[in-house]
Amino acid sequence: MAAKHAFLLFVFISNTVVGFRWNEWWKDTIVYQIYPRSFMDSDGDGVGDLAGITSRLEYFNDIGVGTIWLNPVYKSPMADFGYDVADFKDIDPIFGTMADFDELISKAHRLGLKLVMDFVPNHTSDQHPWFVESKKNKDSTNRYRDYYVWVDPKKNCSDPPEKCIPNNWVGLLGGTVWEWVPERQQFYLHQFLKKQPDLNHRDPAVQLEIIGVLQFWLEKGVDGIRVDAIRHIYESEDLEDEPINPDYTPIPGERPQYHSLIHNKTADLPEVHELMYVWRRVLDKYSGEPNYRFMATETYDTHKALLPYYGTPERPEADFPFNYVLTQLKRENLSGTKIFELVNDWMKDLPSGKWPNWIICNHDNFRIPHRIGANYARALNVLELLLPGTPKTYYGDEIAMGDIWVTYNESRDPFAKNNPNHWKEYTRDPERSPMQWDRSSHAGFSTTIGDTWLPVNQNYLSGINVADQKADNTSALALYTKLAALRKDAPAFQTNHLKYVVVTEKIFSFLRIPDTPGLNSFLIIVNAGTSESTDDYSAALEEMMLKAEGDTGVIEVSSNMDRNGNLQEMNGISLAAGEALVIKLLI
Ligand code: GLC
Ligand code: MG
């Protein structure tokens, strides 16, 4: 009896010893991404808003989420739904007022939640006063003259000037990055929409303006930023053509697509790291116990291109660059070995002392039920929440929400509308449908008598909603809540290392071992195949010179919530297709 008590005491002490310092709060939290138009509508106009988010904040305490990140809520003509900012220091009326923002942040902090803002330094809206002024003329008296990337027509060109585009550069939506402005007789550069001119960060005045924006929000108390489109900040001043990508097959009759070129003049230029370091120092000035200001970056790229945004020990940059490798998972490539390859890429090249992070879904990619299949949604939450590092959940993923489908004519996303021939590949409307709260009309998202801005997925009537799932202890939400608690409480999940166990065409499995001996380890198994798989984990562990006590474990969580608490022999564990298990072991 005495021995047992001593053991419990030991566990208790260890639990308090493990844990993160005040400036590492972003390590054991879950970052939950809110697409503000789609989360909760408080005023019945069919579009989500800040007061709506505020009204739902308790939800995050209920499910164990510690950090929310908002996609842009700044004043915007909404050409790219907020990523075209017309005033970085104001809230768009569709989302409410600055008072609504203040209320949101103070309530969030009261509830112990961190709030991260989207920071969009690469471009503004063409309606931003800086651009409106900048495009008027190139006189030296124009204070905003160099705020954007203005370039003369190509020399020795016999066509009319507006046809003499400076080079072959192609934007993310296809077609040239250059747009002619008759008033200035010059082109401006836009990596995204025409209505999103790129800022010129080579102008020191622009750098100062952007630092001012950062300070404005830090003074409001935001806990961190997610930096948008970081790799596109700078373009080469020599304006030389980019090389043709030999692996790309052009589509006949179609304007050039982004991947037709190798972007060695317009992406990831070394100067961007200077800027990142400057922003890091601004954040550090506002960081003091207990408030550490966090930074993540966004860019879609290979893991090798993303890792430099961690910075170096001398010149730290982001706490982590958002890791998009798992967004590559789709029906056609899902397998145990594919997951292994993607996870291992990041883990093996992670700079020493840095912290990993994982993203499977976001506002730019289809959700799992559409991309892979509904029966994989739960297992992929298990994977994301229990890999070492910080997971990022896209709103609705916790209830296994699916996509909607709208026709080309009903499309709202400019990426779809600008690409009539390829809109099905470009559209991001499917994953942006309103959050499904309950069974009332519009799934409890809005009280509008008209339409919501995008249609609600009708599966809210068959259990895909928060209220029904809260009442069901086998639901996707019940699973999510249990996983969130486990990753917070068990020391095994507070390290940044993992060991792979069995990896096959179907199975990806890994072990999380605590730094303190004597505490439980966890074996996580995902069956990413299309049929059942039974495998011997005992032999695999033995090969690694590890062995589960008594060669048995206890199923802590099963993705279908139907095997929890079962004893499990390690030499033959069966999982159905799309199932995941979390097995508690003493090793
Ligand atoms: C990022 C955002 C995307 C937006 C783009 C332009 O890639 O994730 O939604 O359209 O930046 O700001
Ligand atoms: Mg509204």
Side-chain angles (χ1 to χ4, degrees), residues 41 43 45 47-49 94:
D41 174 21
D43 59 1
D45 64 355
V47 183
D49 44 53
I94 196 99

Side-chain angles (χ1 to χ4, degrees), residues 261-288:
L261 299 178
I262 293 176
H263 299 287
N264 62 354
K265 297 280 173 184
T266 59
D268 295 319
L269 264 56
E271 299 89 309
V272 69
H273 296 288
E274 300 296 317
L275 210 51
M276 285 287 295
Y277 181 55
V278 170
W279 295 338
R280 170 85 272 164
R281 281 183 307 176
V282 175
L283 294 174
D284 285 348
K285 282 216 180 76
Y286 285 83
S287 294

Side-chain angles (χ1 to χ4, degrees), residues 295-497:
M295 168 158 57
T297 51
E298 183 240 27
T299 212
Y300 297 102
D301 215 326
T302 59
H303 79 284
K304 283 232 156 65
L306 296 183
L307 293 168
Y309 291 96
Y310 275 109
T312 61
E314 302 74 43
R315 296 169 77 82
E317 299 178 25
D319 293 297
F320 48 72
F322 270 157
N323 169 6
Y324 289 101
V325 298
L326 295 179
T327 63
Q328 293 172 36
L329 293 175
K330 45 183 191 260
R331 186 175 280 109
E332 298 73 36
N333 67 12
L334 185 76
S335 70
T337 43
K338 182 70 187 174
I339 298 175
F340 164 76
E341 191 188 296
L342 296 174
V343 168
N344 192 42
D345 272 351
W346 193 269
M347 295 306 290
K348 76 177 185 324
D349 292 333
L350 188 72
S352 98
K354 297 297 179 185
W355 190 251
N357 74 98
W358 306 99
I359 295 176
I360 298 184
C361 296
N362 72 354
H363 64 297
D364 296 329
N365 287 284
F366 297 140
R367 292 179 187 269
I368 296 306
H370 177 171
R371 222 162 82 203
I372 303 179
N375 59 328
Y376 296 90
R378 289 172 174 232
L380 291 177
N381 276 340
V382 174
L383 176 73
E384 190 179 82
L385 266 61
L386 300 186
L387 278 171
T390 305
K392 199 236 60 189
T393 294
Y394 184 48
Y395 78 93
D397 282 350
E398 72 279 20
I399 54 168
M401 222 168 103
D403 286 355
I404 50 157
W405 196 252
V406 292
T407 64
Y408 177 71
N409 287 333
E410 293 158 348
S411 290
R412 304 294 307 259
D413 182 15
F415 281 26
K417 293 206 275 194
N418 279 5
N419 284 286
N421 300 332
H422 300 281
W423 70 278
K424 288 186 179 168
E425 291 135 59
Y426 276 92
T427 183
R428 300 170 299 177
D429 288 328
E431 64 269 21
R432 295 178 176 180
S433 68
M435 178 68 179
Q436 296 165 207
W437 293 104
D438 55 40
R439 278 187 203 213
S440 63
S441 73
H442 304 303
F445 160 73
S446 175
T447 54
T448 181
I449 43 166
D451 292 333
T452 53
W453 84 281
L454 278 173
V456 175
N457 189 323
Q458 291 306 300
N459 67 11
Y460 80 93
L461 291 167
S462 28
I464 312 292
N465 70 67
V466 171
D468 282 353
Q469 294 197 16
K470 263 194 178 162
D472 171 3
N473 60 14
T474 65
S475 67
L477 187 62
L479 167 69
Y480 186 92
T481 308
K482 198 161 165 64
L483 295 169
L486 185 63
R487 71 184 299 286
K488 186 105 191 161
D489 296 341
F493 295 107
Q494 290 160 10
T495 70
N496 69 349
H497 47 80

Side-chain angles (χ1 to χ4, degrees), residues 80 83 123 192 196 226 228 298 363-364 415 428 432:
D80 189 17
Y83 279 105
H123 45 267
F192 292 89
Q196 291 170 300
R226 168 268 195 192
D228 183 59
E298 183 240 27
H363 64 297
D364 296 329
F415 281 26
R428 300 170 299 177
R432 295 178 176 180

